[in-house]
Amino acid sequence: MGKVYLVGAGPGDPDLITVKGLKCIKNADVILYDRLVNRELLEYARPKAELIYCGKLPHHHAMKQELINQTLIKHAKKGKTVTRLKGGDPFVFGRGGEEAEELVKNQIPFEIVPGITAGIAAPSYAGIPVTHRNYGSSFAFVTGHMKNGEEDHIKWEALSQIDTLAIYMGVKNLPSIQSKLLSFGKNSTTPVALINWGTTLKQKTIVTDLQHMIEDAVKGKIENPCMIVIGEVVKMREKIQWFEESFGEDMPKEVVL
């Protein structure tokens, strides 16, 4: 019997892979990798390692989740070391829990290798700490990628009381997000940061507020992948932004992803 490693590849910057995650890439016989995994990380794979792309776009999945699960199990049963390389952290909106469940059901040995999630890393690269004792002592990760009616399961009333919200992949649902938070008392002047391609050399950040975030996202041509940060901590960007500023006009326009 082989073994499966569910590995977080980090949010885009290849240097943010963990030491253990990199070992899993180097030692793998088979690597199943997602769309937002930086391709530079695959250069560390063995020359004979089998690389399987299973990325997902809206309404188009290279591999459905059921097939991904089956592929992990199939190769492990052949005695191979399998690395499932997932963007960010495998247990933060990455369906890593579902994959682990299937491995348990099929008695496949596995390990979880956490990764740096975009909800912390993208704001950091934009100069925004998700907590700050002067601005926010609580924060929450929220999915913004919602199917029809699914937003009703998100506890927006409770979330409106959280100091900082880090919302993943929510650009297409900005009107719903705005409406829900305003309806539960979130101030319309609450600062908002829209961070496109966070931690990569394509990173672009727009600072706005809850009332104007939709129109500013359109003006700025913000699309997914995007991290939406809502809270007073966004004000810190004026003081400590470093990543985009350090490159300035020389910032490369392309990144291998």
Side-chain angles (χ1 to χ4, degrees):
M1 182 68 72
K3 189 171 184 177
V4 175
Y5 294 86
L6 303 179
V7 178
D13 182 344
D15 289 342
L16 294 181
I17 186 75
T18 64
V19 173
K20 188 169 185 177
L22 190 58
K23 287 180 181 178
C24 291
I25 294 171
K26 292 179 176 180
N27 295 330
D29 299 309
V30 181
I31 299 175
L32 284 79
Y33 65 99
D34 284 345
R35 178 173 71 97
L36 295 180
V37 168
N38 196 307
R39 301 294 198 278
E40 289 184 31
L41 293 174
L42 301 178
E43 296 176 7
Y44 293 98
R46 292 174 175 175
K48 293 184 179 181
E50 182 178 354
L51 306 180
I52 302 173
Y53 177 69
C54 46
K56 298 173 182 176
L57 285 164
H59 312 297
H60 177 75
H61 293 178
M63 291 177 69
K64 291 187 176 181
Q65 189 62 50
E66 293 76 12
L67 181 56
I68 294 173
N69 296 343
Q70 293 169 11
T71 304
L72 294 173
I73 293 164
K74 177 183 72 174
H75 286 292
K77 286 186 173 180
K78 290 181 179 178
K80 296 182 179 181
T81 298
V82 183
T83 291
R84 173 72 173 105
L85 199 57
K86 305 169 78 67
D89 180 276
F91 275 14
V92 180
F93 305 124
R95 305 187 76 168
E98 297 174 37
E99 293 171 358
E101 281 186 291
E102 289 301 313
L103 296 173
V104 170
K105 288 179 184 177
N106 288 271
Q107 298 181 316
I108 304 294
F110 70 94
E111 286 189 28
I112 311 297
V113 182
I116 299 174
T117 184
I120 295 174
S124 293
Y125 271 50
I128 301 168
V130 292
T131 65
H132 188 287
R133 63 180 180 172
N134 292 334
Y135 295 111
S137 57
S138 62
F139 71 97
F141 295 155
V142 187
T143 179
H145 184 64
M146 298 168 285
K147 298 177 182 177
N148 292 334
E150 193 173 276
E151 62 267 24
D152 294 335
H153 299 293
I154 297 176
K155 297 178 175 60
W156 290 109
E157 183 174 8
L159 290 171
S160 68
Q161 305 302 312
I162 300 293
D163 293 322
T164 307
L165 301 179
I167 302 177
Y168 291 66
M169 298 293 188
V171 172
K172 291 185 177 179
N173 288 305
L174 279 176
S176 176
I177 293 167
Q178 180 193 63
S179 174
K180 293 288 186 182
L181 290 174
L182 290 175
S183 69
F184 288 116
K186 202 74 169 175
N187 197 308
S188 63
T189 60
T190 302
V192 174
L194 306 170
I195 309 167
N196 195 199
W197 287 105
T199 80
T200 75
L201 297 181
K202 289 172 66 176
Q203 178 173 307
K204 177 172 67 174
T205 304
I206 291 178
V207 174
T208 178
D209 58 33
L210 190 57
Q211 182 178 351
H212 299 99
M213 68 178 183
I214 298 171
E215 59 192 82
D216 287 342
V218 173
K219 288 178 185 176
K221 298 180 180 179
I222 296 294
E223 299 178 344
N224 285 325
C226 177
M227 182 58 57
I228 304 164
V229 183
I230 302 175
E232 296 298 318
V233 292
V234 172
K235 294 177 179 177
M236 290 296 296
R237 175 173 165 80
E238 295 179 9
K239 300 178 180 180
I240 60 173
Q241 63 171 302
W242 61 277
F243 181 63
E244 294 157 76
E245 193 173 73
S246 65
F247 286 97
E249 294 182 358
D250 296 326
M251 197 165 181
K253 301 300 180 185
E254 300 296 331
V255 65
V256 181
L257 280 167

